[in-house]
Amino acid sequence: MPVSRETFVSADAGPAAVGGPPAGAAGDALLRVESLSKSYGETQALDAARLEVARGEIHALVGENGSGKSSLVKVLSGVTGQDEGIATLDGTAVRFRSPADAQRAGIMAVFQETLVASELSVLDNVFMGQDRLFRRGRSRAAEAEASSDVLSQLGLGDVDVRRPMWSLTLAQQQLVTIARALVQSWKLLLLDEATSALDVDGRDRLLEVLREAVGDGQRSVLFVTHRMDEVMQSSHRITVLRGGRTVGVVRRGEVALDQVLSMMAGESGTAAAVVAGGASGGPLRVARRSDAAAVLRLSDVVLQPGRVPFDLLLPEGGVLGVAALEGHGQVDLLRCVAGISSPQSGAVTVVRDGREVDIHHSRVSRHNAKQAFRNGIVYVPSDRKSEGIFPGLSVLDNLIVPSLPRLSRAGVLRRRKIADEVGDAVRDLGVKTASTRSKIETLSGGNQQKVVMGRWLLTTPRVLVLNDPMRGVDPGARRDLLELLHEASSRGMAILLFSTELEELLTLCPEIAIVRDHSVTQVLSGEELTLDGLIAGMFGQTTKTEAVR
Amino acid sequence: MSSWRSLGSSKYALPALIGVVVLWILNAAFDSAFLSVAQWGALAASAAPFVLAAMAQAPAMLSGRGGIDLSVGPLMGLVNAIIMGALVGHGTTSPVAIIVISIAVGVTAGLLNGVLVTIVRVPPIIATLGTYFVFSSLSYIVLPLSGGRAPAWLANLGTSWGPFPAVLLLVLAVMAIWLAVSRTSYVRNLLATGSDDRAAYTAGVDVTRVRIVAYGLGGLIAAVGGLALTVGLGSGDPGAGPPYTLYAIAGAALGGLSLAGGRGGLLGAAAGGFIFFLTQNLLTAIHLSVFALQIASGVVVLVAVGLNSAGSYIGRSRVGKMA
């Protein structure tokens, strides 16, 4: 999406904000953060990070996963404390002990998770947290009046504020959490991926509201997002974090998107260099298997009402990558394939013994997931901590859980067979562990991920669906995991791999599907597989390549 | 309208209120006491501890994160033991002294539960199980043997004043306190905390204080329940309290309160406690054996709560699709 300068005419004409001095200059900074550090156990989430937000500015905070964006927001909003460093707001040093504390100072935060009290009414959710323990913040009449303005600005004017929160859509709920911040008298608004559930229309409207709010030249907005189009479109300045450190502050319009991306990634190499080796050590691409029999077929699938239908085909032993910006429906696609959620229309079929089996034959999605699993489709979710590992259990137990039927006879575990298979698996996977009896949480993140993947490989799936498997995995282990997948595919297993790390997709996949606006807009292969090509596709610049349909 | 907004909706209590009416009619068919206004006083005196126990359970349950107060029954018993053993037994019969000391004991005990749950971070079911044992035992220390005679003013609450069962005053007093609290912002804070404590915390609610107050409020209501227990017994009994813990949980569940927190209120809990009493009374009136009585009560609780949660699930998914 091209950056349009016109959208900022009004802000550009405004006070000091956009024309203001760069970081470091005194005077008009609303918020200044210096050498802020925060660690969780052994993980250094923030390492002397810097940040300066000018008055009247919309400031974007970008960085890859684990770069410390969320930690910074958590510290600034009082959700967690900092280990070291100083934050000054309006020239006064601040250190918040709770979100309520930060709010009193004028900092409001909205998070990606829709944090709502679903049993309470919309109105109660908007004003939640603004009262003292017993004393009301404002009268009911004042509440009704203040909320109706903000809600209609956000496009919720038609929603009856007395409705219970659970009866709203996810996007509406997210807007309510934003309204919760906007109705208060704030100086600094923190949006931590708070637009992820909104559609394009809702985001535009929110941007409009934010521009108007900072137009007074006093208030500011700091937003964190994975959607780079949003960043390039709406921010005055951009602070880039990497590994908990501030690696740059740039003014929008002065640098191109790919420069920002390479600051985030920390490598200035071109796409070609990345593919040819570089950090990842050479491509592992399997040959494109256009001749092999199809194992998974998506036809006329519509992920959300009103989106463009698409087809996809995954041959036996094929590896299909999925590239997308956050929030474009890629997770819906994966979940549809795994039978966890259902498409609006269209069919997802798996070919088994020459017959096509529709995964979504049942209206109860629970059954569909079972159906998918029975037909050899296995889904590995992205959140290893909450959805992947069984903390408290050993490496061995973590590996064999889904394979127990195969590894037992008449309900009794076959101990020797288990020991053999687990021993082989741990060796093949290169899991670094003292013993297979060690608790899984004593392993490093990368080794935990190897165990999670090994668990599903032990079930010998026909289709492995991976949702961002390299998240939070160190580079060495990444290479191991990629080789693991490569080998599995050469044994005939088909892989559908979504990754936020484009480099990995380019390393492994002979074909990459671009998901944009809840539809597959392109499938790139061969010469088209470059970092630039992927990025252009993800941002909707389909100049050279033909659309799939 | 205003209560609609601040308490979510009191619709949750509707099935329980209908249940009360139906059971009342059934009881009237089998138990002549229900038809004689003169006997309502005595009837209400045996019902009130059930009702108040369930109400005492409500704030803890509403506060979420596994909120539950197992010590409700023993606390009622402890208040009864203190009234009869430490006060009446030593010649103190003044209403002011008895009421003030009972409430002080209840609130202190409740706040202790609250501090254990929030600051010491013991899971509610364990924290209040601990105080369950402590309060049960203390009752026997304060009043080793049953007996004594309740002071006249207290015993008098077990009669009818005209058609009005006097013990209802205690229930109404608690209702009045709850309504007063509902007019402040506390109930919204409580339901927000119970519904999703992380949402409440990040929005600026002081969830720790909200929970401590919830358990304190439960202790206060349990103390009133202890007074009602004394009215019903007419004397002291150190072993009378503990069974009410389970009646209280059954009552709160029957009253439509969500055990996950955030949904319900004291009206539902009161109705649920009354339903539990009416069920027991009805089964006794039709001469069901004492042993079968508990089976029947258990089945009633399971069926009612099962229907309730299935009903709300179905209703919700339908509306969810509409939205």
Side-chain angles (χ1 to χ4, degrees):
Chain A
M1 185 169 294
V3 178
S4 63
R5 259 206 157 281
E6 294 75 31
T7 46
F8 267 109
V9 168
S10 61
D12 279 341
V18 173
D28 65 340
L30 175 66
L31 174 82
R32 185 172 306 166
V33 173
E34 268 166 80
S35 53
L36 192 72
S37 295
K38 170 80 188 170
S39 57
Y40 298 95
E42 286 176 21
T43 318
Q44 187 81 28
L46 287 171
D47 184 9
R50 282 181 298 113
L51 173 70
E52 193 199 75
V53 181
R55 286 179 202 281
E57 181 184 37
I58 298 183
H59 196 108
L61 186 61
V62 300
E64 295 191 325
N65 293 312
S67 60
K69 298 167 304 203
S70 289
S71 301
L72 186 50
V73 171
K74 278 186 186 146
V75 169
L76 291 176
S77 59
V79 173
T80 56
Q82 69 248 47
D83 298 339
E84 274 170 60
I86 314 158
T88 46
L89 183 72
D90 258 346
T92 355
V94 287
R95 198 185 181 100
F96 306 121
R97 280 163 316 185
S98 68
D101 210 15
Q103 287 174 20
R104 277 190 287 275
I107 298 184
M108 304 294 148
V110 186
F111 298 92
Q112 178 181 21
E113 278 173 280
T114 44
L115 291 167
V116 297
S118 51
E119 299 289 346
L120 295 190
S121 69
V122 173
L123 192 76
D124 283 337
N125 268 282
V126 171
F127 291 96
M128 188 165 97
Q130 296 202 26
D131 307 316
R132 307 289 288 276
L133 191 57
F134 288 101
R135 209 171 57 235
R136 289 190 154 274
R138 45 184 122 187
S139 71
R140 289 190 185 287
E143 281 186 358
E145 198 183 307
S147 65
S148 80
D149 274 359
V150 172
L151 290 175
S152 61
Q153 276 181 339
L154 292 173
L156 290 178
D158 300 335
V159 174
D160 182 353
V161 293
R162 291 167 306 176
R163 268 170 65 180
M165 199 64 181
W166 53 258
S167 67
L168 271 58
T169 64
L170 190 65
Q172 288 174 325
Q173 293 188 13
Q174 190 156 56
L175 286 170
V176 170
T177 64
I178 294 169
R180 185 187 295 156
L182 291 176
V183 291
Q184 304 202 44
S185 53
W186 51 275
K187 290 178 190 161
L188 177 64
L189 179 64
L190 309 176
L191 299 173
D192 186 359
E193 294 183 47
T195 57
S196 56
L198 304 184
D199 58 10
V200 181
D201 190 40
R203 268 197 293 267
D204 283 351
R205 201 169 323 198
L206 175 63
L207 268 181
E208 201 50 52
V209 173
L210 296 182
R211 280 188 194 126
E212 200 186 304
V214 301
D216 63 5
Q218 293 301 312
R219 298 190 280 183
S220 313
V221 174
L222 176 69
F223 76 99
V224 176
T225 179
H226 277 302
R227 303 190 54 121
M228 295 305 293
D229 49 347
E230 223 170 60
V231 172
M232 299 313 277
Q233 200 181 53
S234 51
S235 57
H236 297 153
R237 287 192 301 164
I238 303 163
T239 291
V240 184
L241 287 182
R242 190 174 69 233
R245 296 173 155 273
T246 305
V247 292
V249 182
V250 297
R251 209 171 288 271
R252 182 189 63 90
E254 286 180 2
V255 292
L257 173 63
D258 51 3
Q259 279 175 278
V260 176
L261 288 175
S262 70
M263 282 170 85
M264 286 164 61
E267 280 144 31
S268 46
T270 62
V274 170
V275 177
S280 53
L284 283 166
R285 277 187 208 163
V286 292
R288 223 178 130 196
R289 315 217 171 193
S290 42
D291 52 332
V295 61
L296 182 80
R297 196 193 306 276
L298 280 72
S299 30
D300 281 323
V301 167
V302 177
L303 291 175
Q304 268 196 357
R307 309 290 182 162
V308 184
F310 61 91
D311 297 346
L312 267 187
L313 193 136
L314 188 55
E316 220 163 82
V319 180
L320 178 62
V322 175
L325 295 168
E326 189 89 15
H328 275 278
Q330 63 276 31
V331 179
D332 291 349
L333 169 65
L334 301 184
R335 291 167 61 93
C336 271
V337 169
I340 299 165
S341 54
S342 308
Q344 286 295 317
S345 61
V348 179
T349 51
V350 54
V351 184
R352 191 177 192 184
D353 307 328
R355 284 188 310 128
E356 299 219 344
V357 184
D358 185 357
I359 293 171
H360 297 281
H361 76 300
S362 166
R363 289 177 57 203
V364 183
S365 50
R366 189 156 42 93
H367 297 171
N368 292 333
K370 219 179 264 175
Q371 168 89 345
F373 182 67
R374 256 193 231 118
N375 285 290
I377 300 180
V378 155
Y379 176 66
V380 184
S382 68
D383 191 352
R384 183 174 62 240
K385 271 229 169 64
S386 69
E387 300 177 60
I389 63 166
F390 300 103
L393 293 189
S394 66
V395 170
L396 181 139
D397 290 331
N398 265 283
L399 275 168
I400 62 172
V401 166
S403 308
L404 286 175
R406 192 169 58 78
L407 296 174
S408 56
R409 189 180 289 139
V412 181
L413 295 178
R414 301 160 72 182
R415 299 208 165 269
R416 184 164 308 155
K417 188 167 169 58
I418 290 175
D420 285 352
E421 287 210 10
V422 167
D424 288 351
V426 166
R427 200 179 47 245
D428 293 350
L429 297 163
V431 177
K432 291 189 188 67
T433 175
S435 140
T436 56
R437 298 269 163 209
S438 306
K439 292 230 165 128
I440 185 134
E441 63 264 49
T442 62
L443 272 56
S444 73
N447 280 303
Q448 290 182 12
Q449 189 65 24
K450 286 181 189 172
V451 172
V452 171
M453 242 185 252
R455 170 199 301 163
W456 297 110
L457 293 176
L458 274 181
T459 66
T460 55
R462 304 173 61 226
V463 181
L464 185 64
V465 182
L466 296 161
N467 182 358
D468 211 4
M470 308 296 175
R471 189 173 277 192
V473 174
D474 52 281
R478 281 175 191 212
R479 182 71 194 174
D480 293 348
L481 287 170
L482 286 177
E483 279 170 8
L484 207 71
L485 292 175
H486 179 254
E487 202 197 301
S489 83
S490 62
R491 286 197 310 261
M493 190 177 78
I495 296 173
L496 184 65
L497 168 70
F498 164 67
S499 177
T500 46
E501 316 277 343
L502 301 180
E503 193 184 303
E504 265 151 31
L505 291 177
L506 291 169
T507 309
L508 191 66
C509 308
E511 278 186 302
I512 298 177
I514 307 257
V515 176
R516 185 171 166 78
D517 290 331
H518 292 263
S519 182
V520 173
T521 51
Q522 285 173 277
V523 178
L524 304 181
S525 61
E527 298 274 291
E528 302 163 327
L529 285 178
T530 63
L531 197 54
D532 293 339
L534 283 182
I535 290 170
M538 285 158 67
F539 282 96
Q541 295 159 340
T542 51
T543 41
K544 290 180 295 183
T545 38
E546 87 282 18
V548 181
R549 290 176 62 94
Chain B
M1 180 61 80
S2 67
S3 71
W4 211 99
R5 267 193 226 155
S6 83
L7 304 182
S9 159
S10 44
K11 263 191 282 179
Y12 78 93
L14 199 63
L17 291 170
I18 293 171
V20 166
V21 172
V22 170
L23 279 164
W24 179 277
I25 294 167
L26 284 174
N27 268 285
F30 291 97
D31 184 351
S32 58
F34 276 75
L35 298 172
S36 146
V37 173
Q39 293 192 55
W40 281 7
L43 210 56
S46 26
F50 285 85
V51 172
L52 287 162
M55 290 167 94
Q57 185 62 244
M61 261 188 197
L62 292 175
S63 77
R65 266 288 136 115
I68 197 164
D69 187 352
L70 297 182
S71 71
V72 161
L75 183 53
M76 287 166 62
L78 178 60
V79 168
N80 167 259
I82 287 175
I83 292 172
M84 297 311 296
L87 299 174
V88 178
H90 292 85
T92 309
T93 55
S94 111
V96 176
I98 286 179
I99 290 173
V100 168
I101 289 173
S102 298
I103 301 255
V105 168
V107 171
T108 309
L111 291 177
L112 172 67
N113 281 330
V115 167
L116 287 174
V117 166
T118 55
I119 296 171
V120 189
R121 291 172 180 271
V122 184
I125 195 165
I126 301 299
T128 58
L129 182 65
T131 53
Y132 175 103
F133 289 127
V134 172
F135 300 157
S136 303
S137 220
L138 275 177
S139 305
Y140 282 96
I141 292 172
V142 178
L143 182 72
L145 294 167
S146 329
R149 182 190 282 263
W153 68 269
L154 206 50
N156 199 23
L157 284 176
T159 61
S160 295
W161 299 345
F164 182 77
V167 77
L168 263 189
L169 279 181
L170 295 177
V171 177
L172 291 177
V174 169
M175 273 296 184
I177 292 171
W178 178 251
L179 283 179
V181 172
S182 300
R183 291 186 68 85
T184 73
S185 57
Y186 178 72
V187 175
R188 173 153 83 186
N189 284 328
L190 176 65
L191 294 179
T193 303
S195 192
D196 186 332
D197 55 355
R198 287 190 320 129
Y201 177 69
T202 52
V205 176
D206 189 340
V207 297
T208 301
R209 280 169 67 195
V210 167
R211 287 215 168 98
I212 292 177
V213 170
Y215 282 87
L217 205 56
L220 186 154
I221 302 170
V224 180
L227 284 166
L229 188 63
T230 312
V231 171
L233 294 169
S235 70
D237 179 352
Y244 282 94
T245 288
L246 296 182
Y247 305 156
I249 295 169
L254 284 171
L257 275 76
S258 160
L259 267 72
R263 184 165 64 98
L266 253 65
L267 180 64
F274 197 36
I275 287 179
F276 196 81
F277 167 79
L278 288 171
T279 312
Q280 300 254 318
N281 195 70
L282 177 67
L283 296 174
T284 314
I286 60 173
H287 305 298
L288 199 72
S289 108
V290 185
F291 306 113
L293 186 79
Q294 297 300 327
I295 296 176
S297 309
V299 170
V300 167
V301 170
L302 292 176
V303 169
V305 175
L307 284 177
N308 193 7
S309 58
S312 70
Y313 177 76
I314 292 163
R316 176 170 299 207
S317 60
R318 199 174 292 151
V319 177
K321 260 173 206 151
M322 261 159 39

